[in-house]
Amino acid sequence: MEDTQGPSFRLPPAFEAWFAARCWAPRPHQLALAEASLSGESALLIAPTGGGKTLAGFLGTLIELSERGATNSGIPALHTLYVSPLKALAADVQRNVMTPVTEMGLPVRIETRTGDTATHVRQKQRKTPPDILLTTPEQLALLIASDHAAAFFADLRCVIIDEIHALTPSKRGDMLSLALATLAEWAPACRFLGLSATVREPEALAQWLDVRGRKESPRIITASGGVKADVDILISRERIPWSGHSGRFAVAEVYEAIKAAKMTLVFVNTRSQAELMFQELWNANEDGLPIALHHGSLVREQRQRVEAAMAAGLLKAVVCTSTLDLGIDWGEVDLVIQMGAPKGAARLIQRIGRANHRMDEASKAILVPTNRFEVLECRAAEAAVEAGEIDGDGVRTGALDILAQHVMGRACGEGFRLDGLFDEVRRAAPYACLDWETFERIVDFVATGGYALKTYDRFHRIVRRNDGLWVARTARDKQAHRMNVGAIVEAPMLSVRLAGFAAKAGLPPSSEQRALRAGRKLGEMEEYFLSLLTPGDTFLFGGEILRLVAIDGLDALVMRAQSDSPAIPTYNGGKFPLTTFLADRVRKMIHDPAQWAGLPDPVREWFEIQQLRSAIPPPNHLLIETFPRGGRHYLVCYPFEGRLAHQTLGMLVTRRLERMGAKPAGFVASEYAMAVWGMEDMRGTAMDAVFHPDMLGDDLEEWLSESALMKRTFAHCAIISGLIHRNLPGTEKNSRQVTFSTDLIYDVLRSHEPDHILLQAARQDAATGLLDVRRLSDMLARIEGRIVHKQLDRISPFAVPVMLEVGREPVFGASAIEAVLREAEDDLVRDAMG
């Protein structure tokens, strides 16, 4: 690893003059990366927010292009490809990089290519490529799957991957890694530059970036300096709830913090929280402050208006989700407020960095815990940031459905030979351990659908020509692939549109009137939520109260309305699991009474009464409580391993209790605990047997074979792999059609080819994602022989939050649900704490 303390490299005079004119001096890490880039080396830059990573990444390119003069031989050629995880980040980088280009008068053409780019612009870029193209992983995959792609990329000299740490842990990272391995094959002179915030394992990122398969990793350049963030936790004057995530009780104090700052980003963890928090702040906005809303379901034009207003310094605050937590330099932002626990130290650091976005000034952030357990999580995150400790994992194992998609993409473009593509794929770090048999099975799957499906012609997508080259079978197969490229399967969405005249008047949708039914698009919402509403119901969306008029095909037709209690939209997107790293810190805090002194009085009292009424065992032990309440019997445990692991634990524990005759009736999981209830007393149950690590063997396999979750996971893999197309030329399947198709195929494969490669991919996905099996396995091994079982005659203080989740429905009017929760909470708290 290289720590930059002043390389001998100097910028050309024009560049030095540009820095001087702005009263800047190039930082050592910027010079080091420019030097590496110009020498043709691949490199990874690790620098804190505000350290000028983006400019550092482009310096070598701009110097090279300034010295080149006119493009080679007068023929336009792509020189540098910049890949960003976010469309908004690509657009922001274009604005920022154009500044030195314009002010120095450099002969450089820079363009963006994202999902928002018009078709005619994309076609023009293919014919006359810009010098620098700013794009996303999905668009890069589309370019690779296009005709003459190898020629398009042949002169590529540099690839810059921004926010690389945010991409590598996901399927999007797998997709990008495969694409980079292809570019390394097509463009031998190309170097690869990774830009990252501070990470736990830089070596793992460097390994991911090494797509040439060299023994030595790309050079790691670490920026020195930086100022620690100024992080505070807002302990509200109001009563801190035992459960829930709305944060409504702290709105007045959040509003006061917004008033005192120049510009504030209010981050929340889900889009439904964003809608609710925006509405609450707007209700509290007696001063008429310009406050906006930004999340991924809003229509593109609205998001762009908000971004433009932020860049111009016209807003006082923006309520946002993860759509704004990467890289973008808004300049005027001087405060970040995180509503609810951040779920991970790295995510918190990323979001904090949006304030000031300058390396030499402390970023100011306020964490607002929305319930009592989140006070602990916020304390743990604050301590991690203070200590400079970050969570993060090494290189993941590449997803097989993504590999199938890449194989199809390569066949749609230049075509491939089996041996050559195998070697190329294995140079992508997530697939370094891929074996030949699995690769052959993936290719056979793309070519025929696999043994059980090969009799169906529609699953035959690629063919091998006489010259040994594998290519797409038909032009329609190519088009279908290009319409469905991507690594994320969104929940089925409906377009939210203002109703036209015919819809308002209740007229039948004749062909003439259908055009009047759907007006301006406001954005998209999950079909699941809208299906729970009936015409006339109201809900929050885009900061407005809307009334549902009708659902017409893939459109939800709405009118603006007035209501005191609109339903709150629930989005599946944006829910983060608690990281292992942060969970471990929370456990240690709970189990160390010496750390309780810094906690708010209500939380400290909660701990003290818990210790008195039940127990708080050492960190590596598991507390299990059993008690009767309201005619039911409950088992509650506190692993502190996150909702995903707890949901899997609940599924397996209820199966085991059923076999033991305990007659469980259901379970509920939170980030911190899991509760099972039934009609039989569980206080005499042998908990060592219930929570034995062997439950991850046959119990897990049996449950998976019967589970609806596996069907859903398989459906996602089927869509990503290209077995099922959601979008087809001239048509679009709705969610019911897709579900029917994938369920039918799932049942066929389970019966006739249980070892099918796509079932294998689905099991791998479920284990690492939705089930969090590895984390659960580690927990069961850690607590074996260390179970503390407390047989109580009534509910304990720790059990109150998870018990409030029992029977709770996800969608109600906001005021109604809080009133119901408050009544239930008061009753439970009296028993637990009285």
Side-chain angles (χ1 to χ4, degrees):
M1 184 179 296
E2 174 182 326
D3 190 29
T4 57
Q5 295 297 329
S8 57
F9 174 77
R10 292 194 57 141
L11 294 174
F15 285 78
E16 286 194 337
W18 180 78
F19 273 92
R22 289 182 156 247
C23 300
W24 291 352
R27 298 179 186 272
H29 61 267
Q30 292 175 321
L31 296 175
L33 188 60
E35 182 181 36
S37 178
L38 289 168
S39 64
E41 284 186 77
S42 293
L44 171 67
L45 172 61
I46 306 291
T49 296
K53 291 190 293 292
T54 305
L55 181 57
F58 281 100
L59 264 180
T61 287
L62 295 180
I63 291 169
E64 215 165 47
L65 289 172
S66 70
E67 294 173 347
R68 175 205 62 183
T71 46
N72 298 339
S73 306
I75 301 172
L78 180 63
H79 179 284
T80 292
L81 186 72
Y82 165 92
V83 184
S84 153
L86 294 177
K87 291 182 287 188
L89 183 53
D92 180 69
V93 166
Q94 183 183 24
R95 286 193 297 267
N96 290 338
V97 177
M98 280 304 299
T99 300
V101 168
T102 302
E103 293 180 355
M104 283 188 278
L106 302 179
V108 177
R109 190 170 129 229
I110 305 174
E111 294 184 8
T112 60
R113 181 189 179 99
T114 70
D116 293 339
T117 305
T119 303
H120 73 276
V121 175
R122 296 187 205 182
Q123 291 171 345
K124 182 182 176 184
Q125 289 170 344
R126 290 292 316 282
K127 293 176 183 175
T128 56
D131 299 301
I132 300 173
L133 183 64
L134 315 176
T135 192
T136 60
E138 290 76 14
Q139 289 299 312
L140 176 55
L142 279 171
L143 283 168
I144 285 174
S146 62
D147 298 327
H148 313 298
F152 179 80
F153 288 111
D155 296 316
L156 187 67
R157 300 298 300 273
C158 182
V159 177
I160 303 167
I161 304 99
D162 205 352
E163 307 290 355
I164 188 173
H165 59 285
L167 283 166
T168 54
S170 67
K171 284 191 177 185
R172 291 183 84 206
D174 297 344
M175 181 173 69
L176 178 58
S177 182
L178 289 168
L180 297 182
T182 298
L183 295 181
E185 189 74 20
W186 288 345
C190 183
R191 69 256 188 187
F192 297 88
L193 307 180
L195 310 179
S196 174
T198 308
V199 290
R200 189 175 189 176
E201 297 181 25
E203 295 78 10
L205 281 188
Q207 179 189 346
W208 186 93
L209 193 62
D210 180 23
V211 289
R212 294 203 181 278
R214 294 170 177 164
K215 290 183 179 179
E216 68 279 2
S217 290
R219 190 198 304 189
I220 299 176
I221 300 169
T222 305
S224 55
V227 179
K228 285 188 178 180
D230 177 6
V231 182
D232 288 325
I233 297 177
L234 190 158
I235 301 300
S236 177
R237 299 183 296 268
E238 305 297 324
R239 170 183 166 278
I240 303 174
W242 293 67
S243 184
H245 301 279
S246 73
R248 295 178 67 178
F249 64 94
V251 165
E253 291 150 303
V254 170
Y255 180 69
E256 289 301 316
I258 289 172
K259 282 176 63 176
K262 184 182 292 183
M263 186 191 294
T264 303
L265 289 181
V266 182
F267 278 107
V268 294
N269 290 338
T270 68
R271 283 170 273 182
S272 56
Q273 280 180 287
E275 292 282 354
L276 177 59
M277 183 51 55
F278 176 76
Q279 193 71 20
E280 293 294 325
L281 284 173
W282 199 252
N283 292 338
N285 190 6
E286 297 176 351
D287 305 275
L289 303 178
I291 300 174
L293 175 67
H294 192 290
H295 63 68
S297 289
L298 299 177
V299 72
R300 172 171 55 97
E301 290 77 12
Q302 182 170 342
R303 285 184 275 118
Q304 288 177 335
R305 283 196 297 271
V306 172
E307 291 161 17
M310 287 180 67
L314 301 177
L315 296 176
K316 190 69 173 172
V318 179
V319 180
C320 54
T321 58
S322 53
T323 51
L324 291 185
D325 69 0
L326 290 176
I328 299 173
D329 181 3
W330 299 117
E332 297 297 317
V333 174
D334 60 345
L335 175 64
V336 163
I337 297 177
Q338 167 67 43
M339 296 299 300
K343 303 302 173 190
R347 181 177 297 110
L348 176 59
I349 289 172
Q350 190 75 56
R351 290 181 168 182
I352 289 173
R354 300 312 104 219
N356 288 328
H357 210 271
R358 288 181 286 273
M359 183 175 172
D360 300 325
E361 294 182 28
S363 298
K364 182 169 177 55
I366 299 175
L367 308 185
V368 184
T370 57
N371 60 56
R372 295 192 179 197
F373 266 127
E374 282 195 344
V375 172
L376 310 178
E377 199 176 328
C378 287
R379 291 280 192 210
E382 179 189 37
V385 171
E386 176 65 26
E389 296 177 5
I390 305 174
D391 38 26
D393 298 314
V395 175
R396 57 178 260 130
T397 300
L400 296 177
D401 52 349
I402 290 290
L403 178 57
Q405 185 183 113
H406 181 71
V407 166
M408 184 65 201
R410 293 287 273 106
C412 288
E414 302 296 306
F416 64 86
R417 298 186 188 281
L418 216 56
D419 290 354
L421 184 59
F422 178 65
D423 291 340
E424 178 186 304
V425 164
R426 281 170 55 94
R427 286 196 288 273
Y431 299 93
C433 297
L434 181 73
D435 60 87
W436 176 257
E437 180 189 358
T438 302
F439 176 71
E440 271 195 316
R441 290 176 66 202
I442 286 289
V443 174
D444 179 61
F445 161 71
V446 180
T448 69
Y451 172 76
L453 301 176
K454 64 174 52 180
T455 55
Y456 299 93
D457 185 66
R458 68 189 178 102
F459 298 128
H460 294 211
R461 294 179 285 149
I462 62 175
V463 293
R464 186 178 182 179
R465 297 192 320 211
N466 291 335
D467 62 1
L469 201 68
W470 287 88
V471 295
R473 194 177 67 149
T474 66
R476 185 176 174 83
D477 287 315
K478 289 185 180 183
Q479 190 178 7
H481 170 78
R482 292 166 186 162
M483 291 178 67
N484 290 275
V485 162
I488 301 171
V489 179
E490 295 281 1
M493 307 292 277
L494 296 181
S495 294
V496 179
R497 295 183 181 275
L498 289 174
F501 168 76
K504 293 178 183 177
L507 298 177
S510 65
S511 57
E512 295 81 9
Q513 291 160 343
R514 283 185 69 85
L516 295 174
R517 288 182 67 90
R520 182 167 65 86
K521 183 176 176 180
L522 302 178
E524 295 180 325
M525 289 189 66
E526 288 179 4
E527 182 185 45
Y528 168 75
F529 170 74
L530 290 165
S531 70
L532 296 174
L533 305 180
T534 57
D537 286 348
T538 57
F539 61 97
L540 284 176
F541 183 73
E544 297 183 283
I545 299 174
L546 304 175
R547 175 173 284 110
L548 180 67
V549 174
I551 293 179
D552 183 13
L554 297 175
D555 293 331
L557 306 178
V558 301
M559 297 171 58
R560 292 189 172 94
Q562 298 292 326
S563 174
D564 293 331
S565 56
I568 305 300
T570 57
Y571 300 90
N572 287 327
K575 294 178 181 175
F576 304 120
L578 181 66
T579 64
T580 307
F581 169 81
L582 216 53
D584 186 55
R585 274 186 167 272
V586 169
R587 273 196 307 274
K588 289 176 179 175
M589 185 181 300
I590 289 171
H591 298 293
D592 181 7
Q595 296 190 45
W596 298 357
L599 297 173
D601 291 343
V603 178
R604 189 172 62 252
E605 180 191 16
W606 180 36
F607 280 22
E608 290 168 350
I609 297 179
Q610 168 68 22
Q611 196 171 39
L612 180 67
R613 294 279 170 80
S614 177
I616 300 181
N620 287 332
H621 290 58
L622 177 67
L623 172 64
I624 299 173
E625 298 171 336
T626 47
F627 53 84
R629 181 173 175 79
R632 289 177 174 178
H633 292 271
Y634 291 88
L635 179 159
V636 182
C637 61
Y638 309 92
F640 292 93
E641 291 292 351
R643 190 180 298 269
L644 294 179
H646 295 169
Q647 284 175 338
T648 304
L649 180 65
M651 295 165 190
L652 298 177
V653 165
T654 50
R655 289 178 69 88
R656 187 155 284 197
L657 288 171
E658 181 73 36
R659 287 204 306 272
M660 297 171 73
K663 299 179 182 177
F667 76 92
V668 67
S670 71
E671 289 283 13
Y672 314 105
M674 189 275 294
V676 179
W677 64 88
M679 307 312 294
E680 300 289 329
D681 194 341
M682 291 179 273
R683 284 180 287 186
T685 304
M687 294 302 168
D688 285 322
V690 174
F691 288 82
H692 196 277
D694 64 8
M695 72 165 62
L696 294 179
D698 293 342
D699 282 353
L700 181 62
E701 285 300 315
E702 287 174 17
W703 176 78
L704 281 176
S705 67
E706 304 164 6
S707 168
L709 180 145
M710 269 305 293
K711 281 193 173 183
R712 190 163 76 249
T713 305
F714 176 84
H716 286 194
C717 290
I719 292 168
I720 290 173
S721 69
L723 184 71
I724 293 292
H725 294 133
R726 177 169 286 177
N727 304 311
L728 285 170
T731 183
E732 182 177 357
K733 289 187 177 181
N734 64 37
S735 61
R736 294 175 186 84
Q737 290 171 314
V738 172
T739 301
F740 176 77
S741 300
T742 56
D743 284 359
L744 191 61
I745 294 170
Y746 178 77
D747 291 336
V748 167
L749 294 182
R750 275 193 61 208
S751 299
H752 300 287
E753 194 180 355
D755 62 343
H756 190 278
I757 192 70
L758 206 57
L759 289 176
Q760 181 181 328
R763 284 191 288 268
Q764 177 184 316
D765 256 21
T768 57
L770 295 169
L771 301 179
D772 220 344
V773 170
R774 186 182 70 179
R775 190 160 166 184
L776 182 57
S777 173
D778 292 345
M779 185 273 289
L780 290 172
R782 187 181 70 243
I783 58 99
E784 188 175 10
R786 298 185 178 91
I787 289 176
V788 177
H789 179 193
K790 287 294 182 179
Q791 303 177 43
L792 309 176
D793 57 5
R794 59 175 168 166
I795 185 174
S796 76
F798 270 16
V800 171
V802 73
M803 291 284 285
L804 284 167
E805 301 281 343
V806 175
R808 180 175 170 185
E809 294 297 326
V811 180
F812 284 119
S815 57
I817 191 170
E818 294 219 349
V820 171
L821 278 175
R822 181 63 183 267
E823 184 178 340
E825 185 175 306
D826 289 345
D827 186 38
L828 288 169
V829 170
R830 273 195 300 271
D831 281 358
M833 302 285 285

